[in-house]
Amino acid sequence: IFRKVIRSINSTRRGSQVKLFTWNFATSEGADALLRAQKRGVRIRLIMDRQNNTEIPNPTFRRLRSGLAQGNAKWPDDRRSWARMCTRSCRGSGGASHSKFFLFSEVGKVKRVVMQGSANITLAATNNQWNDLYTYTGNRAAWQFANKIFGEAAKDERVARPFAVEKMTNSDFIMFPLEGKRSYDPVARLLRQVRCNGATNTPSGRTVIRIAPDVMRQDRGMRLAVLVRKLWDQGCDVKIGYTVMGIDVGRFLRNPSGRGPVPLKHLVQDFDGDGQFDNYFHLKAMSIVGNVRGDRSGYAVLNGSANWSSAAAHSDENLGIYYTRNLTVRYQDHLNFWYDNFPGTSSRTTARRGATTGAEQPLVFGSGTN
């Protein structure tokens, strides 16, 4: 993913524009590529969450911001570049600037390139996380939608309708926060459209759901867990691979009542056993194959930047839902592979001391109900 983004920056030409919305920007190679692009006449604009420059020193971002400002001297106002930060959500009332989508007006000879997924532009995203990225090329609707949202975010002011959806052929492109009169939780809506039996495109006739939510906690995480648990009890084939799970959510999903515990696997590596994850699954994805959206041979896959948490509901987030067989099966195969073959660590991963006890210890780190 990192190579794809850097290669795309390096393939931009004079007169084109690059717009990057990333929760964190921390890569010298990325800063160098953007500054070189500005020198050859590409307009660069980047948005990042403020805490990643204030709470944590970020000399790479500061070098990029300073370099872009200095490089503007040779360009007219409409070609000027910048790197900015948002305080909490750019377009909402709280949360964080957590989006990860990247716009290129032209990459080589390909116009209107939009990338969206779970990866920030950081070395951690490259070296310590499993991530994903979906790319639209030449899609005018996706480009105009993401470009509009980026323009709103750049002002760092709450907009009248922070929640926005662009419905396209076989896909929905969605932006959080989940605020405003017409907002809804697209993850919950999709789960409510699932029926567990009568599928004609699975060997068992049961709908197959694979979930990698990264973080699943707080009130929203529990609401989604209730929907998943209901589908499990109704006979859906469900597997969840997570990184951080609220203690209450974990207890609920592991409860032996009904059909029994929902299958869960902790997709993290902690080599020194300190409770700080060294490598971990960072996707926020779900694949559904079976009876979904009124189609007994349906396919749906969800990806993006939004964790299954209340914090995500109030943050800038990007989310895509795609209703095509090939992409859904690719995600399902990927999630199945890592669920079955996730590499171990030299020492058993545990929660931070005092979080929980006994068999529940691997659920999360942290303490308290959420």
Side-chain angles (χ1 to χ4, degrees), residues 12-23:
T12 55
R13 297 183 289 187
R14 183 186 180 94
S16 62
Q17 55 182 311
V18 174
K19 297 180 178 180
L20 308 174
F21 196 155
T22 176
W23 176 72

Side-chain angles (χ1 to χ4, degrees), residues 290-312:
N291 193 344
V292 58
R293 301 174 71 234
D295 183 355
R296 292 178 179 268
S297 60
Y299 296 90
V301 62
L302 178 152
N303 86 315
S305 70
N307 294 309
W308 288 24
S309 67
S310 298

Side-chain angles (χ1 to χ4, degrees), residues 150-161:
F150 188 94
E152 292 177 351
K155 298 177 183 178
D156 195 14
E157 298 175 354
R158 191 183 189 281
V159 298
R161 294 181 178 176

Side-chain angles (χ1 to χ4, degrees), residues 158-177:
R158 191 183 189 281
V159 298
R161 294 181 178 176
F163 178 72
V165 180
E166 181 69 22
K167 291 187 175 294
M168 299 172 284
T169 304
N170 294 324
S171 71
D172 298 334
F173 198 1
I174 302 169
M175 300 289 184
F176 288 24

Side-chain angles (χ1 to χ4, degrees), residues 9 13 32 43 52 54 88 94 100 107 111 132 171-172 177 197 217 242-243 277 309 316 321 327 329 359 361 370:
I9 295 170
R13 297 183 289 187
D32 292 342
R43 189 178 72 182
N52 288 311
T54 55
R88 299 186 176 182
K100 304 123 179 23
V107 177
K111 296 183 182 296
D132 78 314
S171 71
D172 298 334
N197 299 305
R217 64 180 177 183
Y242 68 93
T243 298
F277 304 149
S309 67
D316 295 301
I321 307 179
L327 186 65
V329 170
Q361 204 171 27
N370 282 323

Side-chain angles (χ1 to χ4, degrees), residues 29-40:
E29 186 175 348
D32 292 342
L34 291 170
L35 292 172
R36 286 196 306 268
Q38 184 196 31
K39 287 183 180 179
R40 62 177 179 268

Side-chain angles (χ1 to χ4, degrees), residues 190 193-195 207 288-296 298-300:
L190 184 57
Q193 293 176 313
V194 172
R195 299 296 177 267
T207 298
I288 303 172
V289 177
N291 193 344
V292 58
R293 301 174 71 234
D295 183 355
R296 292 178 179 268
Y299 296 90

